């Protein structure tokens, strides 16, 4: 063995895994696909959706996301019986919820949809009753919730508890009446939710989605570009998505940054200014109480004359500067240099956070 | 109105730790005077305890005994589970509607009574039964119900249980001199309230002998040799389980599973109420064997009387030095505490029980890890059933060979069988493992009630199998039942006569599973609801023959893919019921077929608001 390594067979091929790994981790590490829904590497294991079942040693059926690898274990990830089970589970999920991908924010980016497609499952048209659950599109400025698309995987509950440590979500009810709740049965907008959006990013379906900030676009119409959040010193890495019209649509935390994919409310939703028509694009000078467009020369001349006037009349300490966290370090440096060397004051401050 | 101060006091009394949530919630509910824990109370509680509101809310919502909405001064819960169903639960609901004017979910106009339907209350020998606040009453009929309600109208609620005498431990034993009494020998002889009485009758001799003569590993050897297997349902060898508990310096726990929720089971309650010290002694011996200094008994919340008697016994044992530090001068420390349930069958599943003990929703955990490796607070814990622990003192006192003298080689000892349903006599009996259905019905049940014809026996609880005439002589032990495609389970023998409709009965069982599924895993959460729906179609006479295949297909998927044994179980009653009564199901596919039994259930449970 050595090095805590374990040898096992997956689908007839001998592979190596680390002691303590699950079958799923071992399979993924060796490029072998096993479908999952409730599993997410960032949160503790749940073992609830059962879609990741595999066959061990030709007889036991176990969930690969929870079952540890053992030496000499023989794993079959997808024989006829396992496929049958997966199809059965997907059928149950489709019967339980109300899934019309035509109207869903997750269309094209939905783990349930992609598995139903992969295993060829269509809604059965059965007469099994559905429990109608909560739809709340309005109460929060950040989040939308349509629980009829919820598969109760628990990823949002754990994301909020283990990553954001805000513990807003929990399950309520029991059995077929189980459903999500925030705080004590509050609407999400009335709850203690801080709208960091972590739960939405972790949701495998369209049950939780973002309020639209700008633009519109479905998953396959979007282009991703990575950037760094401009708001604070954490420097979270963000994947911004732009639609075909070039408008920003959403921001997802990027796993490569110091934030490990996590964002706060500002990085998540604070990008509406980028394409706002209220943005300053030319200098404006107030004339007779009205702001009027001016040239850069005209504007700068005005600033110079005003600053010089005040400095002469009241001394340099009558002037202070307040710079912005939205500017770069270089810009902030230049401003304090300007205040000290040109104006001649130490009255320098900065809005350390936004 | 519960004030912040009241809440603070309750939290201080039980300790500010979410593992005490159940006790805190129960006291707040009682204080409300309306059997309610309202939103304001929960919000304040979360603030006082400094835990998330969602945790408190999710917790209350899981346990059916608690409700956020107001109920009434007296909360009536009528059991509709298998044994009660067969013995007339529907008549009870009918009478209540007639006499008090309320249906499940409703409150009387004067605000005195609120009615709910619930699952088995653990008194099936006196079914049909109900519970008013924490008092259990059985053998209900029109006259007794009227008397009970009239009496409660004049009463003020009190937290102390005041159960009907028909539920008392000795009253629930069928005493005809034919039993092989080991566990039951003490019941009626020993006074449950008195440790002296227990000691005078040879109590604590097993613990004394163990501490004096045995090393911990010897205890495990003796228990292994005795062949004792778990009596909670799965039949796992007890000594082997003890030997699997992780060794080392960490804290370890002994946990006694007294959740007894399997419909038809009432043996654990009788042991706890008739001879509580035997359970305590067994647990202490286990603690010594696995090096655990703390034990918990998780008792279902409905068993108020068991809780009172156990607490009294624990206090006495502490005072007498049978619990606490340095027991009998041996250097062994062991103390015992009670945890309570909140009305959830699934919490009898050992890992769900552990989550519940921690103040969580009672979701079963995936295994591995098993409790022996990571149980309560993720520390090594050994979980056994009440009957299992109660068997340990005599094994230690008299030896493994003595214990094995009775019962088959691989399932030694006696077994408590819980008799209910349509027999002349119902109650608890103790017989060698492997007693047959025929012996049970004829020798103890006194034959069928009212000379009716036997139709089937449901053995092992709702999760058990249906046995017909052909299995009358099957030895009801752990292995033989499994071999025959059924199960001994917890030892329930519920007998149904020709008046029972197979469809109507299975409908109740499927309603039970849907109600009790924890809702965590997909196959069981959705599966139990679909099975229930299909049964409703048969009862409605709108099903097609092919629906039988769907039933089997869904239940098979659940068996293969569910996370815990709850979801894996429904296939057993379905398959075995269809083995005998497929024709009856097919007859129900004809819309013109008349079935008064199904009609009654549909009208009683499936019409009106919410259905
Ligand atoms: C849904 C469900 C309910 C259960 N209920 C009980 C119960 O009420 N009492 C009990 O002792 N075991 C119950 N069990 C079995 C326990 O999980 C566990 O096997 C048992 O407590 C172990 O004790 P034993 O080995 O002494 O039998 C239940 C299991 C399941 C799946
Ligand atoms: S959640 Fe997924 S499967 Fe459901 S409607 Fe949305 S895209 Fe379709
Ligand atoms: S909302 Fe999304 S993440 Fe949360 S339980 Fe439902 S499907 Fe899972
Ligand atoms: S403002 Fe929020 S998202 Fe932006 S860098 Fe700071 S923590 Fe990250
Ligand atoms: S099988 Fe049922 S009770 Fe068990 S974990 Fe799954 S949903 Fe819960
Ligand atoms: S991914 Fe393994 S059980 Fe959900």
């Amino acid at each position: 063995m050595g090095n805590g390594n374990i040898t096992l067979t997956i689908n007839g091929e001998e592979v190596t895994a680390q002691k303590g790994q699950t079958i799923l981790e071992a399979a993924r590490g060796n490029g072998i696909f096993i479908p999952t829904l409730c599993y997410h590497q960032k949160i503790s294991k749940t073992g609830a959706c059962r879609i990741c079942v595999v066959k061990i040693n030709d007889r036991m059926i176990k969930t690969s996301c929870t079952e540890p690898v053992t030496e000499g274990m023989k794993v079959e990830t997808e024989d006829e019986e396992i496929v049958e089970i997966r199809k059965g589970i997907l059928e149950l999920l489709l019967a339980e919820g109300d899934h019309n991908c035509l109207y869903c924010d997750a269309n094209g980016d939905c783990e349930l949809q992609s598995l139903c497609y992969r295993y060829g499952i269509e809604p059965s048209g059965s007469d099994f009753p559905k429990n109608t659950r909560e739809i709340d599109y309005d109460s929060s400025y950040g989040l939308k919730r349509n629980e009829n698309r919820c598969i109760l995987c628990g990823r949002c509950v754990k994301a909020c508890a283990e990553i954001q440590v805000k513990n807003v979500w929990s399950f309520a009810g029991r059995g077929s009446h189980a459903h999500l709740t925030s705080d004590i049965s509050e609407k999400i907008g009335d709850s203690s939710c801080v709208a960091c959006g972590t739960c939405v990013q972790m949701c495998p379906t369209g049950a939780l989605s973002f309020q639209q900030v700008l633009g519109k676009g479905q998953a396959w119409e979007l282009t991703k570009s990575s950037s760094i959040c401009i708001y604070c010193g954490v420097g979270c890495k963000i994947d911004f998505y732009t639609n075909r019209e070039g408008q920003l649509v959403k921001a997802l935390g990027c796993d490569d940054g110091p934030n490990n994919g996590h964002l706060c409310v500002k990085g998540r939703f604070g990008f509406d200014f980028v394409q706002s028509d209220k943005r300053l694009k030319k200098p404006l000078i107030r004339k007779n109480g009205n702001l009027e467009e001016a040239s850069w020369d005209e504007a700068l001349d005005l600033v110079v004359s005003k600053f010089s006037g005040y400095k002469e009349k009241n001394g340099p300490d009558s002037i202070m500067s307040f710079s912005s966290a939205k500017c770069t370090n270089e810009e902030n440096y230049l401003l304090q240099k300007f205040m000290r060397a040109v104006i001649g004051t130490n009255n320098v401050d900065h809005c350390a956070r936004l | 109105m519960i004030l912040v101060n009241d809440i603070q006091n309750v939290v201080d009394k039980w300790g500010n730790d979410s593992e005490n949530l159940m006790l805190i919630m129960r006291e707040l509910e009682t204080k409300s005077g309306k059997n309610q824990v309202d939103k304001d109370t929960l919000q304040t509680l979360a603030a006082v305890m400094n835990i998330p509101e969602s945790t408190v809310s999710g917790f209350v919502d899981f346990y059916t005994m608690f409700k956020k909405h107001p109920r009434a001064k007296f909360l009536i819960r009528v059991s509709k589970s298998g044994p009660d169903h067969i013995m007339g639960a529907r008549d009870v609901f009918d009478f209540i509607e007639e006499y008090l004017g309320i249906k499940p979910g409703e409150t009387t106009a004067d605000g005195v009574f609120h009615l709910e339907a619930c699952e088995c209350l653990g008194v099936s020998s006196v079914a049909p039964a109900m519970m008013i606040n924490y008092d259990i009453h059985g053998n209900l009929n029109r006259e007794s119900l009227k008397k009970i309600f009239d009496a409660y109208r004049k009463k003020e609620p009190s937290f102390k249980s005041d159960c009907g005498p028909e539920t008392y431990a000795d009253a629930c034993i069928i005493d005809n001199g034919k039993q092989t009494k080991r566990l039951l020998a003490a019941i009626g002889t020993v006074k449950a309230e008195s440790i002296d009485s227990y000691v005078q009758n040879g109590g604590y001799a097993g613990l004394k002998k163990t501490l004096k003569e045995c090393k911990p590993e010897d205890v495990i050897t003796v228990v292994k040799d005795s062949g004792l297997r778990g009596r909670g349902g799965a039949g796992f060898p007890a000594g082997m389980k003890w030997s699997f508990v992780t060794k080392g310096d960490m804290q370890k726990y002994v946990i006694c599973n007294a959740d007894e929720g399997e419909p038809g089971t009432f043996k654990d309650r009788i042991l706890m109420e008739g001879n509580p010290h035997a359970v305590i002694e067994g647990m202490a011996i286990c603690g010594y064997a696995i090096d655990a200094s703390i034990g918990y008994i998780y008792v279902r919340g409905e068993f108020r009387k068991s809780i009172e008697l156990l607490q009294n016994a624990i206090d006495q044992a502490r005072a007498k030095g049978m619990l606490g530090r340095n027991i009998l001068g041996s250097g062994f420390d062991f103390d015992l505490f009670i945890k309570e349930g909140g009305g959830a069958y699934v919490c009898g599943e050992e890992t769900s029980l552990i989550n519940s003990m921690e103040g969580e929703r009672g979701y079963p955990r995936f295994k591995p890890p098993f409790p022996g490796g990571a149980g309560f607070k993720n520390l090594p814990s050994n979980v056994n059933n009440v009957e299992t622990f109660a068997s340990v003192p005599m094994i230690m006192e008299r030896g493994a060979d003595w214990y094995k003298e009775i019962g088959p080689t691989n399932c030694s000892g006696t077994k408590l069988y819980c008799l209910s349903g349509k027999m002349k006599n119902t109650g608890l009996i103790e017989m060698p493992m492997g007693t047959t259905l025929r012996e049970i019905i004829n020798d103890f049940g006194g034959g069928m009630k009212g000379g009716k014809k036997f139709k089937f026996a449901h053995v092992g609880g709702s999760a058990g199998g249906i046995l017909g005439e052909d299995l009358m002589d099957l030895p009801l032990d752990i292995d033989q039942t499994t071999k025959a495609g059924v199960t001994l389970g917890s030892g329930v023998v519920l007998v149904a006569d020709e008046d029972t409709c197979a469809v109507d009965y299975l409908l109740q069982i499927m309603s039970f599973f849907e109600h009790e599924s924890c809702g965590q895993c997909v196959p069981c959460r959705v599966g139990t609801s679909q099975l229930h729906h299909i049964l409703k179609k048969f009862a409605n006479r709108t099903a097609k023959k092919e629906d039988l295949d769907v039933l089997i297909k869904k239940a098979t998927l659940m068996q293969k893919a569910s996370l815990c044994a709850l979801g894996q179980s429904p296939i057993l009653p379905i398959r075995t019921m269809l083995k005998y009564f497929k024709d009856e199901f097919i007859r129900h596919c004809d819309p013109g077929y008349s079935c008064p039994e199904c009609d009654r259930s549909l009208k009683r449970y499936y019409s009106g608001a919410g259905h």
Side-chain angles (χ1 to χ4, degrees):
Chain A
M1 276 176 33
N3 290 342
N5 280 350
I6 280 184
T7 313
L8 66 158
T9 340
I10 303 183
N11 301 340
E13 290 210 22
E14 206 165 88
V15 300
T16 324
Q18 241 105 64
K19 218 177 153 196
Q21 275 189 323
T22 59
I23 295 174
L24 178 69
E25 286 158 351
R28 291 209 169 157
N30 286 282
I32 300 165
F33 171 80
I34 299 176
T36 53
L37 284 170
C38 68
Y39 169 85
H40 196 288
Q41 66 204 32
K42 287 189 185 147
I43 49 174
S44 60
K45 293 165 199 147
T46 306
C49 75
R50 320 300 291 170
I51 201 81
C52 70
V53 286
V54 295
K55 198 172 279 173
I56 300 173
N57 298 336
D58 296 323
R59 73 201 155 79
M60 269 188 307
I61 295 172
K62 288 279 195 177
T63 43
S64 61
C65 71
T66 62
E67 193 69 14
V69 288
T70 55
E71 184 65 32
M73 173 185 253
K74 188 177 159 228
V75 179
E76 205 59 54
T77 60
E78 202 158 68
D79 64 9
E80 216 175 295
E81 190 180 12
I82 297 290
V83 170
E84 193 70 20
I85 292 174
R86 295 207 173 121
K87 287 184 169 182
I89 291 173
L90 292 170
E91 269 168 20
L92 292 178
L93 283 173
L94 285 193
E96 180 185 38
D98 178 14
H99 294 277
N100 188 339
C101 306
L102 281 178
Y103 301 105
C104 185
D105 285 308
N107 190 11
D109 183 25
C110 171
E111 294 177 32
L112 176 64
Q113 190 187 46
S114 108
L115 289 182
C116 286
Y117 184 73
R118 182 185 178 104
Y119 290 100
I121 301 298
E122 289 181 29
S124 65
S126 65
D127 58 355
F128 293 115
K130 295 178 196 286
N131 293 319
T132 312
R133 305 196 195 122
E134 178 150 349
I135 298 180
D136 172 12
Y137 287 159
D138 309 315
S139 74
S140 161
Y141 60 82
L143 276 56
K144 289 200 294 183
R145 163 181 176 196
N146 182 342
E147 267 201 65
N148 298 314
R149 298 178 186 137
C150 173
I151 56 169
L152 277 78
C153 68
R155 273 157 65 161
C156 56
V157 178
K158 290 194 165 177
C160 190
E162 297 172 14
I163 300 176
Q164 180 67 12
V165 201
K166 194 74 188 80
N167 289 293
V168 174
W169 296 113
S170 167
F171 285 122
R174 201 169 77 182
S176 58
H177 296 280
H179 61 96
L180 266 185
T181 179
S182 40
D183 290 351
I184 305 179
S185 324
E186 298 289 2
K187 289 221 171 247
I188 183 68
D190 303 331
S191 74
S192 57
C193 167
V194 295
C196 70
T198 307
C199 54
V200 181
Q201 187 163 335
M202 293 281 270
C203 178
T205 70
L208 293 178
S209 55
F210 293 121
Q211 291 291 5
Q212 187 186 316
V213 180
L214 274 176
K216 280 184 184 160
Q218 291 196 295
W220 58 89
E221 299 169 337
L222 304 179
T223 325
K224 179 172 96 175
S225 30
S226 298
S227 182
I228 303 297
C229 175
I230 44 152
Y231 284 108
C232 91
V234 174
C236 295
K237 192 162 178 186
I238 305 183
D239 291 336
F240 284 107
Y241 289 80
T242 2
N243 67 10
R244 285 178 180 159
E245 289 77 47
Q247 280 181 304
L248 286 179
V249 172
K250 64 177 177 186
L252 294 185
C254 171
D255 286 341
D256 293 341
N259 49 324
N260 284 326
H262 188 51
L263 290 179
C264 83
V265 61
K266 289 176 284 179
R268 177 80 68 197
F269 296 109
F271 56 81
D272 52 336
F273 67 88
V274 176
Q275 281 145 335
S276 169
D277 51 11
K278 295 199 183 104
R279 254 189 110 162
L280 277 181
K281 291 177 185 147
K282 296 221 170 84
L284 299 175
I285 294 177
R286 198 178 299 278
K287 291 176 181 163
N288 304 323
N290 294 325
L291 288 170
E292 286 176 16
E293 272 187 22
S295 72
W296 278 106
D297 282 343
E298 194 185 343
L300 288 173
D301 285 346
L302 180 66
V303 171
V304 170
S305 74
K306 292 269 180 190
F307 274 166
S308 308
Y310 291 132
K311 191 175 159 185
E312 255 160 52
K313 195 161 154 219
N314 304 320
D317 283 343
S318 65
I319 302 171
M320 80 164 293
S321 81
F322 200 83
S323 66
S324 167
K326 266 192 190 158
C327 302
T328 61
N329 279 348
E330 290 79 358
E331 287 162 341
N332 279 309
Y333 175 83
L334 281 175
L335 184 67
Q336 65 81 32
K337 194 81 185 167
F338 170 79
M339 290 304 285
R340 293 196 165 99
V342 180
I343 307 279
T345 177
N346 286 323
N347 290 343
V348 177
D349 205 353
H350 177 274
C351 71
R353 285 183 63 90
L354 280 164
Chain B
M1 171 82 184
I2 303 183
L3 304 171
V4 180
N5 252 346
D6 297 330
I7 296 175
Q8 184 71 57
N9 290 340
V10 175
V11 171
D12 290 345
K13 172 174 163 192
W14 295 110
N16 187 351
D17 193 322
S18 37
E19 69 168 272
N20 301 321
L21 263 181
M22 193 78 80
L23 300 170
I24 292 170
M25 222 56 96
R26 183 147 287 140
E27 185 152 342
L28 291 175
E29 177 188 68
T30 307
K31 266 194 174 9
S32 77
K34 293 175 288 194
N35 283 298
Q36 173 192 23
V37 272
D38 64 12
K39 193 171 160 183
D40 285 346
T41 305
L42 291 177
Q43 257 163 348
T44 314
L45 180 67
V48 166
M49 292 183 73
N50 194 20
I51 52 178
E53 288 188 3
S54 61
T55 305
V56 180
S57 168
F59 179 88
V60 169
D61 240 59
F62 190 85
Y63 297 99
T64 52
M65 290 181 82
F66 302 121
K67 287 282 175 327
K68 291 179 193 155
H69 60 77
R71 292 184 282 194
K73 195 156 102 177
F74 290 111
L75 170 55
I76 308 166
R77 294 177 172 99
V78 179
S79 164
K80 62 195 257 296
S81 288
D84 302 273
H85 184 69
I86 285 190
M87 298 308 287
R90 290 169 299 182
D91 299 329
V92 177
F93 284 108
D94 288 348
F95 179 79
I96 294 179
E97 189 168 350
E98 199 181 300
Y99 192 63
L100 298 177
I102 47 175
K103 289 190 192 140
E106 296 177 352
T107 307
T108 52
D110 58 7
V112 176
F113 294 109
H114 179 90
L115 178 63
E116 279 177 9
C118 71
E119 301 300 348
C120 182
L121 290 164
V123 291
S124 311
S125 59
V126 295
M130 68 174 174
M131 186 163 88
I132 303 189
N133 285 1
Y134 286 98
D135 313 336
I136 300 180
H137 301 277
N139 287 335
L140 302 177
N141 55 48
R142 298 177 69 92
E143 291 71 44
S144 69
L145 281 164
K146 185 170 177 312
K147 259 197 216 133
I148 294 169
F149 293 137
D150 292 347
Y152 274 86
R153 274 199 191 286
K154 300 194 193 92
K155 275 172 57 164
E156 276 309 309
S158 84
F159 194 48
K160 208 167 148 39
S161 66
D162 184 12
C163 300
E166 69 284 356
T167 67
Y168 292 0
D170 46 354
C172 290
I173 295 174
I174 300 178
D175 237 330
N176 60 2
K178 294 186 196 160
Q179 299 201 34
T180 310
K181 283 193 182 178
R182 284 176 163 185
L183 289 163
L184 295 188
I187 290 172
T189 317
V190 168
K191 280 206 211 65
E193 304 79 11
S194 156
I195 189 169
D196 293 334
S197 160
Y198 181 64
V199 172
Q200 275 155 24
N201 283 280
Y204 286 109
L207 178 64
K208 278 182 197 151
K209 189 170 165 206
T210 303
L211 295 179
K212 214 162 121 198
E213 297 173 13
C214 302
K215 291 206 274 303
E217 51 279 22
D218 302 337
V219 181
I220 294 184
T221 310
V222 174
V223 176
K224 270 188 186 164
D225 283 353
S226 75
L228 174 66
R229 288 169 70 175
R231 301 295 199 242
F236 195 81
M240 183 121 73
K241 194 190 270 185
W242 296 11
S243 72
F244 290 159
V245 176
T246 307
K247 290 159 193 69
D249 291 338
M250 70 295 253
Q251 177 68 52
K252 304 175 200 73
Y253 299 100
V254 177
I255 298 170
C256 175
N257 187 341
D259 196 50
E260 192 154 64
E262 192 60 76
T265 320
F266 50 92
K267 64 191 180 73
D268 297 342
R269 180 180 64 84
I270 292 187
L271 291 175
M272 292 186 285
E273 293 176 11
N275 194 17
H277 284 285
V279 185
I280 298 175
E281 187 180 353
M283 290 181 71
I285 294 170
C286 174
Y288 179 70
I290 65 164
D291 180 35
S293 60
I294 296 180
Y296 290 102
I297 312 183
Y298 181 97
V299 191
R300 63 180 292 191
E302 293 88 342
F303 286 177
R304 187 65 13 215
K305 188 167 179 203
S306 304
I307 294 170
E308 286 163 6
L309 285 164
L310 275 170
Q311 190 57 57
N312 174 63
I314 290 171
D315 294 342
Q316 291 185 349
R318 256 185 223 138
K320 263 246 179 325
M322 299 299 174
L323 288 175
R325 293 210 168 271
N326 193 17
I327 296 172
L328 298 166
S330 62
F332 167 59
D333 304 334
F334 188 74
D335 210 346
L336 205 53
F337 305 91
I338 296 178
K339 294 264 181 198
E340 297 180 13
Y345 163 67
V346 70
C347 286
E349 197 284 336
E350 55 188 8
T351 56
S352 161
L353 181 143
I354 289 170
N355 272 335
S356 181
M357 281 172 60
E358 293 181 359
E360 303 271 341
R361 289 165 66 77
Y363 282 164
R365 300 174 177 176
F366 55 80
K367 301 178 205 175
F370 291 88
F376 184 54
K377 299 183 173 171
N378 279 326
L379 290 162
S381 309
N382 179 74
V383 186
N384 278 120
N385 170 256
V386 174
E387 186 185 346
T388 315
F389 279 126
S391 305
V392 169
M394 59 179 151
I395 292 174
M396 291 317 292
E397 192 194 344
R398 304 189 183 199
D401 288 336
W402 169 82
Y403 189 76
K404 289 192 283 203
E405 278 168 13
I406 288 180
T409 326
N410 295 322
C411 315
S412 57
T414 55
K415 175 76 194 92
L416 298 178
Y417 295 97
C418 309
L419 279 55
S420 62
K422 293 288 179 77
M423 287 172 282
K424 280 207 190 84
N425 316 314
T426 50
L428 191 61
I429 62 165
E430 181 173 17
M431 283 295 284
M433 262 288 181
T435 302
T436 65
L437 197 53
R438 194 181 303 283
E439 289 170 272
I440 290 176
I441 296 179
N442 293 340
D443 298 353
F444 298 96
M448 297 299 292
K449 195 173 187 162
K452 295 266 181 171
K453 245 182 94 208
F454 168 90
K455 183 157 180 173
F456 63 80
H458 197 176
V459 174
S462 288
I466 302 291
L467 277 70
E469 289 278 2
D470 61 325
L471 294 178
M472 273 286 181
D473 296 309
L474 175 74
L476 298 181
D477 72 29
I478 300 167
D479 296 330
Q480 300 273 2
T481 47
T482 314
K483 227 182 272 165
V486 288
T487 177
L488 173 61
S490 53
V492 173
V493 179
L494 164 60
V495 173
D497 65 16
E498 54 192 320
D499 292 345
T500 310
C501 163
V503 171
D504 178 52
Y505 181 76
L506 198 59
L507 172 67
Q508 291 317 306
I509 302 299
M510 291 307 128
S511 135
F512 170 80
F513 280 115
E514 179 178 17
H515 186 248
E516 297 302 329
S517 162
C518 83
Q520 182 182 209
C521 75
V522 180
C524 172
R525 179 180 71 240
V526 193
T528 50
S529 145
Q530 296 195 344
L531 296 182
H532 187 190
H533 177 73
I534 298 172
L535 258 301
K536 261 185 272 178
K537 289 208 297 191
F538 278 99
N540 257 320
R541 275 139 285 170
T542 53
K544 294 196 190 67
K545 214 174 132 205
E546 300 76 58
D547 284 318
L548 288 178
D549 303 330
V550 184
L551 202 60
I552 296 281
K553 192 177 153 212
K554 299 273 177 187
T556 306
L557 171 74
M558 290 166 66
Q559 179 192 28
K560 288 179 181 173
S562 291
L563 191 155
C564 88
L566 190 149
Q568 294 160 5
S569 298
I571 184 68
L572 188 54
I574 292 175
R575 186 169 27 78
T576 49
M577 189 61 104
L578 290 180
K579 169 182 154 192
Y580 298 104
F581 305 110
K582 195 168 178 179
D583 287 352
E584 203 172 326
F585 277 77
I586 292 174
R587 280 202 294 279
H588 278 74
C589 294
D590 172 5
Y593 179 72
S594 145
C595 180
E597 283 296 297
C598 285
D599 288 342
R600 268 201 81 190
S601 290
L602 289 171
K603 182 158 171 275
R604 187 73 260 164
Y605 300 125
Y606 299 96
S607 59
H611 286 287

